[in-house]
Amino acid sequence: MSEAENRKVQEQIQGHGIRAENDADSRLERIVFIGRTFEEYIRMFNLDERALSGRKILDCPGGACSFAAGANKHGSDVIAADIVYYHDTEMLYRKGIGDIIHAMEHVETEKKRYLWTEFQSVEELRTERIKALETCARDMRLHPERYIPVTLPVLPFEDGQFDMTLSAHFLFTYADRLDADFHLRTLRELFRVTRHEVRIFPLVDQSGRQPEHVDILICYARIQGWEPDIQAVPYHFQRNANHVLVLRKTEK
């Protein structure tokens, strides 16, 4: 997630995929439970909404995003995976509301870090984040089987279980704390559970710079038989964060 939305994890990034060493309550305090809407996902990942029907998709890490809820309504079979799902839904919802309040306070003081075309104001951003949280929490209550707790870089899924995997605001975002080895192990696991395509957004860290991990993962993907394609996307909120890395498995 963006720097503003993740200020609570500046020192330790145990949320969205890394298990903390402390107890569950302490671990949860380090996680910022904020997400994007289904509509944001379509623009972030440069997806064709009509082409999602009938596809098995993994959203990892899913956080408080409403993509699973929205895509399943459009005929997809979507599973969201995240370490936060070890916790109770109502606890996560309450935490999400508080996290949005704190994040918006920070955004208000750091407006220059963002481009205000995707959202016209902090209030509009707040509305979108609450929409994502409420939709996600409602879907978690109705369909808990869609939300699987995981601890990256290990996933509890079968080889080739998904047609496509989407990974937002995790890899590259925390390149200053998650080293190249962790990125490689995580990508290898995403490749293992995915048949055709992995998409990663954005390609910059929290400062807006592209880390060397991008080139390392692209090189690794080619060796493993996945063709990389960097695409400009119609979503641009964090500065320089308007490209998605699309990795497609090549035919043998």
Side-chain angles (χ1 to χ4, degrees):
M1 295 183 178
S2 69
E3 181 175 351
E5 293 174 337
N6 287 277
R7 65 193 182 98
K8 288 187 178 180
V9 291
Q10 292 302 302
E11 297 301 325
Q12 296 188 51
I13 180 66
Q14 272 82 22
H16 294 291
I18 306 173
R19 185 179 297 280
E21 295 179 355
N22 297 337
D23 58 44
D25 290 340
S26 176
R27 182 170 66 246
L28 185 58
E29 283 304 308
R30 296 187 178 92
I31 299 172
V32 179
F33 193 59
I34 296 177
R36 272 78 177 174
T37 62
F38 171 80
E39 293 78 13
E40 286 181 274
Y41 259 55
I42 295 298
R43 300 194 297 278
M44 283 162 39
F45 287 103
N46 212 22
L47 297 171
D48 180 352
E49 184 176 321
R50 297 166 297 180
L52 296 179
S53 181
R55 304 189 74 180
K56 294 179 69 68
I57 302 172
L58 173 64
D59 179 15
C60 180
C65 298
S66 63
F67 177 74
N72 277 291
K73 287 184 178 179
H74 284 77
S76 303
D77 182 3
V78 179
I79 294 294
D82 199 303
I83 197 172
V84 296
Y85 304 148
Y86 284 107
H87 298 279
D88 175 73
T89 299
E90 302 311 317
M91 179 188 300
L92 288 175
Y93 177 76
R94 292 192 299 271
K95 178 171 176 50
I97 292 295
D99 287 344
I100 291 172
I101 291 172
H102 292 306
M104 294 308 106
E105 290 173 351
H106 189 69
V107 169
E108 188 70 55
T109 64
E110 297 288 344
K111 284 185 176 181
K112 63 182 181 298
R113 294 178 179 269
Y114 305 96
L115 299 176
W116 295 95
T117 52
E118 188 70 32
F119 306 100
Q120 301 302 309
S121 65
V122 174
E123 187 55 42
E124 185 176 329
L125 175 63
R126 185 199 326 272
T127 298
E128 199 77 352
R129 294 291 171 263
I130 291 175
K131 176 183 174 183
L133 173 65
E134 291 184 341
T135 303
C136 176
R138 182 166 57 250
D139 198 57
M140 290 175 72
R141 297 182 191 107
L142 294 173
H143 302 284
E145 72 281 359
R146 293 176 181 169
Y147 298 86
I148 307 299
V150 302
T151 304
L152 287 171
V154 177
L155 294 173
F157 306 119
E158 298 177 1
D159 294 357
Q161 183 171 334
F162 303 97
D163 298 309
M164 174 190 290
T165 292
L166 307 176
S167 186
H169 298 97
F170 180 57
L171 295 176
F172 308 140
T173 298
Y174 300 111
D176 60 332
R177 277 157 246 141
L178 303 178
D179 63 16
D181 181 65
F182 179 87
H183 277 69
L184 289 169
R185 287 185 291 130
T186 298
L187 184 61
R188 182 171 63 235
E189 188 72 344
L190 297 182
F191 282 166
R192 182 186 67 78
V193 302
T194 310
R195 285 193 292 272
H196 303 304
E197 191 172 284
V198 173
R199 298 194 177 207
I200 302 172
F201 176 89
L203 307 187
V204 297
D205 59 22
Q206 293 189 39
S207 69
R209 293 187 294 268
Q210 181 173 303
E212 63 179 6
H213 297 10
V214 175
D215 291 335
I216 292 173
L217 262 63
I218 286 176
C219 181
Y220 173 77
R222 284 200 173 104
I223 293 172
Q224 297 300 313
W226 294 73
E227 185 61 29
D229 180 20
I230 295 179
Q231 300 177 2
V233 301
Y235 183 92
H236 199 184
F237 181 48
Q238 179 191 0
R239 290 188 181 276
N240 301 322
N242 61 331
H243 288 82
V244 62
L245 174 60
V246 180
L247 300 164
R248 295 189 178 95
K249 193 168 188 178
T250 57
E251 297 293 335
K252 293 185 179 180

